[in-house]
Amino acid sequence: MSETWEPVIGLEIHVQLKTETKMFCRCRNGFGGGPNTQTCPVCLAFPGALPVPNRRAIEEAIKLGLALDCTIAARAVFHRKNYFYPDNPKAYQISQYDEPLCSNGRLAVPTADGDVTIGITRAHLEEDAAKNVHVAASGRLHGATATLVDFNRCGTPLIEIVTEPDIHDADTAKRFLQLLRQTVVELDLSDAELEKGSMRFDVNVSVRPAGSGELRTRTELKNMNSFNFAAKGIEREIARQIGIYEAGGEVQQETLHFVPGEEDSPPIRSKEEAQDYRYFPEPDLVPVHPPAALVERLRAEIGELPGARIGRIADTLSFYDADVLVTGGLDRLWSALVGAGADAKEAANVLSNQFVAAGVDPGTVNAAELAKLVAARAEIPRAAFDEALSKAGDAGFAAGPYLEQKLVADAGELDPVIERVIAASPGQAEQFRSGKEGLLGFFVGQVMKETGGKADPRIVNERVRAKLSGT
Amino acid sequence: MIDALRLTAEEAKKLLDAREISGAELFAAYAERDDDLHAFLYRCDDPGGDGIPIALKDVIGTKGVPTTAGSKILESYLPVYDATVAANCKRHGLRLLGKTNTDEFAMGSSTENSAFGPSRNPWDPARVPGGSGGGSAAAVSGGLAPWALGSDTGGSIKQPSALCGNVGLRPTYGTVSRFGVVAFASSLDQVGPVAKNVRDCAYLYSIIAGRDANDTTTVEVPEVELPTAQDLKGMRIGVPTEMNEADGIEPGVSAAVRKAIELAESLGAEVGECSLPRSVDYGVACYYLVAPAEASSNLARYDGARYGLRSDGDDFREMVMATRHDGLGDEPKRRIMIGTYALSSGYYDAYYGKAQRVRTMIRREHAEVFEKFDLIVSPTSPTVAFAIGEKAGNPLAMYLNDLLTIPSCMAGLPGLNIPCGLSEGLPVGLQLIGPQFAENTLFRAGHALEQALGFDVVPERLR
Ligand SMILES: [Zn+2]
């Protein structure tokens, strides 16, 4: 199937900036206020109100543009996008159109087979809409009878990033999104949390005969709020479109809205309305001319980006380990652990498994102390190790007390326990001796239980086998 | 006794400073006069204090004081904040007499488009005071206010001042904040002063001008100089042929303007001919694409959801349509339709895009003229005040009334109207236009001419 059809995927991502104030007024930008408490004449579109751009937001957009290897415009223009909707009080959204702040960039996405470079068409600033809450006579329901509008989110800053249709499989789309998210988070621009809606994305999908270069009718997938689900949704959509073409049909241009939380049920389809947004340059704002010195200062503030770090770490570990560490925000701690003497592979395993499960912020961890634990992992009881990880971010955390809980490896101490366990299950012992090797685990488990997990499993294994075999 | 018809703001200030009159007496001298001109849509009580009273055009937002922009759709709207210019007036102690009548959303040249009925010309109440700022101009000439603020998009300060016989300045675009002023066409709207003489006009301009952090299109302005010179020595004055010989300029208007130009020469000015052919040919057409386009977007916020009039509808769309149907008059509707069309995809390049390119050309043409001249002059309005109802049924004839004021507005340039004589017993306005930020030059020239002309600003029938 994939030999005859090539998927063509483009992404449009919105990232909510975590600036102190909104994009064009000085209202607080953030969650938490009661409905319509973070509003003013500007974001409520009262007569005569005028926008004043948030300098910080402009700087952050430039920074992201630089991280995405974009050209930063010497002159960028805000445009009005006109449409009537209750969440859009001015009846236009201030956005950017043909002179965006950042354009013509690229993001190299590391994969097991090397980097895949995805073109960034543009990255621009705009303002978010208010939140509509559809309500019935009592409570929130489908088939609503009224709409309430909360303007707290109205006018908060968004960066919109549009990719070229350079992506040809769902996995790369997912990796791109994960890498972009990690980039945004590390630049400290946004929480970029899908569940909170501070990162949102739409996916355009079409398929074409492999090698043809044509662009066929695309569908737009909206409201997919996890990366895994996006990959699944894209794959399903690709298969659906191929199915239509192979049955001699035509793909219709439409939007597929997924219902969050009900992602396995089929999406709601809607025909794409031909909207005329009547874009024109926002006359209330002067063009933005980012000074070259500012752009250079922002460029200097950008550290080694996650994409590059995946490539670098993959030279030491596998690509998959590197990918998990970097997109999980764990690689800096990993580097510190290795620097403090921990084994690279061992440290990666601990971080991407037990450490993630412990839910500790990697930025708060004393790497030197954690490195000691990682090095001694095989010699400490599992329970003690897990407890140590969960405390690894605490102030004054030290490995010492956990290292002291060495495993019991002394045969003299273990043998009486082992003998007792074997004596308690003579039937199983007999079966083992007659060749049922699998029962070894049963006895080891019993011993570990008896010793409260403090026995060294390697030694226990050895001694149980010896005792059962009668040697 | 305070002569509200004649007293200038400067004289009023002297009387107040010398304690010859009280603040309350001064306010009452205007507030107690009967507004038979319908200059005001709303009159305020004396807030106290001893500052000079002022009237503000009803597009200027005033906290807690109704601001309708002459529209039914904002009839119930009470601003929660002051426009920057209103706040500047307050800071200088100026006391609000009331809000003056305007064509709806400042769209018009006669105030006949006000949803609340037209204002009348103090020289002849059967005639219009001009527009859109006819209320402010009528108030100043009718003794209802010593001075006032107007707003000008394509001539809404200069033209009413011409028709009412007083002094009005449309400042350079970007010198006066638009924050809090109900928007008509953002790239053209400018607030400016209306006064009985040039010195008052300059002083009021100094109060409202300057950079405002709430309006990013504003800039710092040169310090305002109150004019004193009686001559025009060294001043190079250009007379654009097309603006002085255009079809439709009434002979009486031409004659008064020609006389004023001769007077300027006798005061020492070097007068020469110049030419602005394309600005005059394309100015009005270009304006009637750019201004409606911006208006169609600016007026879209009046949807009935958050303030102002709301008419019922079964859903949001129906509610918005019913509200706008009931709340907006014919002229805003007409311009919204023109503007929406001009911005539509497929038409943008041919209309809005092209108009913006023509605008650049108009700017350049003016800039070339100002390489040789310090200012240029023409009639402000091709006609004197016309009768109420005379042009109301003919929007095109009304639009052409702004033929001479529009080109410099499109170029963002300052323009001053001073009265220069009478034709058929009605005032004729002389328009002085300068390069960007040349307000001081306009004040100087306007003041010298005003002194030499000796025009009596009090309407004959009220003397
Ligand atoms: Zn706000």
Side-chain angles (χ1 to χ4, degrees), chain A residues 22 25-27 38-44 154:
Chain A
K22 292 188 181 183
C25 63
R26 301 291 76 88
C27 288
Q38 290 158 211
T39 58
C40 74
V42 175
C43 55
L44 288 175
C154 187

Side-chain angles (χ1 to χ4, degrees), chain A residues 44-45 47-48 80 82 276 284, chain B residues 81 178 180 297-298 306-307 345:
Chain A
L44 288 175
R80 290 188 185 178
N82 296 282
D276 184 352
D284 285 331
Chain B
Y81 73 108
R178 293 176 296 115
S297 176
N298 283 332
R306 284 148 290 125
Y307 48 77
S345 82

Side-chain angles (χ1 to χ4, degrees), chain A residues 142 229 258-267:
Chain A
H142 290 296
F229 182 70
F258 290 89
V259 182
E262 296 169 32
E263 288 163 339
D264 281 323
S265 50

